[in-house]
């Protein structure tokens, strides 16, 4: 399992890395949308993208639209990782093709459960 | 994620009160009024809070981790406030968070006292949350 975390917060990426490693997965990390696109160009087989909403440069919304309009990347499931204040954007993101969302603050268990759900190893349910 | 139960109390009233700290996470709140939310604490407190938040041992946390953790905390606090006001007339935008780092620093506001201020306590952790309107 290869997961790409796109988040400008290194500490959040660290938390996500810990959760993914427990699931015996590999985490690729990008701190903004441009870096994420570079990583996606270089790596085949990304199974899931965890995407922060509020980032400098290309934000999560712009990147989500770039991914979902790409002939290859559009098939990679995207889970939005947002703060409570961006909750209103979740509907917009789901309509644009995101498959799930996780609201910060979250527990490692929540994160792992939702990663598995996005990968078809659990039931997707709203939170 | 932070996983800490805290007690709270209002900050002392009066012009002489200053919050001295080593880390201040901050965000601007832009709506009908412009304000800044800050969360301030000592380096030791920041280490404990970020350690709770990440599950990483305090000894393994680097300076960048502390600043990043403080930014994320204030982001969550401001985000939560924003969410609680959805559907009201008090809709606002928030900026990206930023962090002020420096030993025993405090913020001097030009024209106004702090509008809202609370102290939070949990064991050795002490933190101050402030909201200040920035208009003249």
């Amino acid at each position: 399992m290869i997961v790409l975390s796109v988040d400008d917060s290194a500490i959040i990426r660290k938390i996500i890395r810990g959760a993914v490693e427990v699931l015996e997965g590999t985490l690729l990390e990008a701190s903004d949308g441009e870096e994420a696109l570079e990583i996606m160009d270089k790596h085949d087989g990304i199974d899931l993208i965890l995407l922060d909403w509020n980032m400098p440069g290309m934000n999560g919304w712009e990147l989500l639209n770039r991914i979902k309009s790409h002939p290859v990347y559009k098939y990679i499931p995207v889970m939005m990782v947002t703060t409570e204040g961006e909750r209103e954007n979740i509907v917009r993101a789901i309509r644009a093709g995101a498959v799930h969302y996780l609201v910060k603050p979250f527990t490692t268990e929540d994160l792992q459960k939702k990663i598995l759900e996005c990968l078809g190893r659990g039931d997707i349910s709203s939170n | 994620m932070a996983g800490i139960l805290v007690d709270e109390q209002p900050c002392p009233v009066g012009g002489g009160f200053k919050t001295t700290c080593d880390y201040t996470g901050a965000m601007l709140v832009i709506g009908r009024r412009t304000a800044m939310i800050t969360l301030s604490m000592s380096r030791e407190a920041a280490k404990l809070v970020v350690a709770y938040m990440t599950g990483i041992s305090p000894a393994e946390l680097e300076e960048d981790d502390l600043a990043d953790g403080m930014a994320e905390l204030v982001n969550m606090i401001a985000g939560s406030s924003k969410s609680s006001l959805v559907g009201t007339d008090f809709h606002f935008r928030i900026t990206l968070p930023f962090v002020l780092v420096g030993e025993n620093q405090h913020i001097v506001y030009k024209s106004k006292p702090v509008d809202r201020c609370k102290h939070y306590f949990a064991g050795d952790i002490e933190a101050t949350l402030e909201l200040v309107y920035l208009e003249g």
Side-chain angles (χ1 to χ4, degrees):
Chain A
M1 171 180 66
I2 301 175
V3 177
L4 170 60
S5 170
V6 190
D7 200 309
D8 60 314
S9 169
I11 204 82
I12 293 294
R13 298 199 307 271
K14 243 179 206 184
I15 294 168
I16 291 172
R17 190 190 311 148
V20 169
E21 285 174 357
V22 167
L23 296 173
E24 299 184 341
T26 301
L27 188 74
L28 305 174
E29 300 181 34
S31 58
D32 59 34
E34 286 87 359
E35 192 181 356
L37 289 171
E38 284 174 23
I39 290 173
M40 292 165 75
D41 283 341
K42 288 177 190 162
H43 288 83
D44 290 331
I46 294 173
D47 296 298
L48 175 65
I49 298 170
L50 305 182
L51 182 51
D52 183 26
W53 189 279
N54 199 16
M55 293 183 291
M58 187 192 297
N59 65 28
W61 171 247
E62 292 172 79
L63 180 59
L64 176 65
N65 282 292
R66 290 280 289 269
I67 292 168
K68 291 304 164 188
S69 60
H70 190 281
V72 177
Y73 303 154
K74 68 180 179 184
Y75 298 108
I76 304 173
V78 176
M79 176 161 69
M80 303 304 296
V81 181
T82 71
T83 62
E84 187 72 24
E86 293 144 3
R87 195 181 266 271
E88 63 199 88
N89 295 324
I90 289 169
V91 172
R92 204 152 62 108
I94 297 289
R95 284 185 181 147
V99 295
H100 215 342
Y101 65 93
L102 181 64
V103 176
K104 301 174 192 174
F106 53 80
T107 65
T108 304
E109 291 73 23
D110 283 340
L111 173 60
Q112 289 169 339
K113 180 171 175 278
K114 293 207 171 187
I115 287 172
L116 293 175
E117 287 174 355
C118 287
L119 295 172
R121 300 188 214 166
D123 294 328
I124 288 189
S125 56
S126 59
N127 66 356
Chain B
M1 198 147 65
I4 303 169
L5 286 174
V6 295
D7 295 320
E8 66 173 62
Q9 67 180 53
C11 300
V13 178
F17 174 70
K18 283 183 193 168
T19 305
T20 304
C21 61
D22 304 321
Y23 285 86
T24 297
M27 276 181 105
L28 293 181
V29 174
I30 302 163
R32 267 199 322 212
R33 303 186 69 182
T34 301
M36 184 161 78
I37 294 176
T38 61
L39 179 67
S40 303
M41 61 186 79
S42 68
R43 188 173 184 282
E44 291 70 28
K47 268 198 165 190
L48 290 172
V49 170
V50 175
Y52 274 119
M53 190 169 85
T54 60
I56 299 168
S57 152
E60 292 175 26
L61 289 169
E62 298 169 7
E63 294 300 320
D64 286 351
D65 294 329
L66 298 184
D68 214 46
M70 289 295 293
E72 205 51 50
L73 272 174
V74 78
N75 190 23
M76 286 187 258
I77 291 167
S80 177
S81 304
K82 184 181 176 195
S83 175
S84 68
L85 294 173
V86 168
T88 73
D89 291 337
F90 299 101
H91 191 71
F92 57 83
R93 291 187 296 118
I94 48 180
T95 64
L96 290 167
F98 55 97
V99 182
L100 310 174
V101 183
E103 282 184 31
N104 293 319
Q105 38 109 344
H106 67 274
I107 300 173
V108 177
Y109 294 101
K110 187 76 177 173
S111 59
K112 300 193 68 162
V114 171
D115 291 277
R116 299 277 187 278
C117 179
K118 276 191 177 165
H119 273 318
Y120 293 93
F121 302 92
D124 293 335
I125 298 170
E126 187 176 335
T128 304
L129 182 67
E130 294 179 330
L131 172 76
V132 182
Y133 290 108
L134 299 175
E135 303 96 344

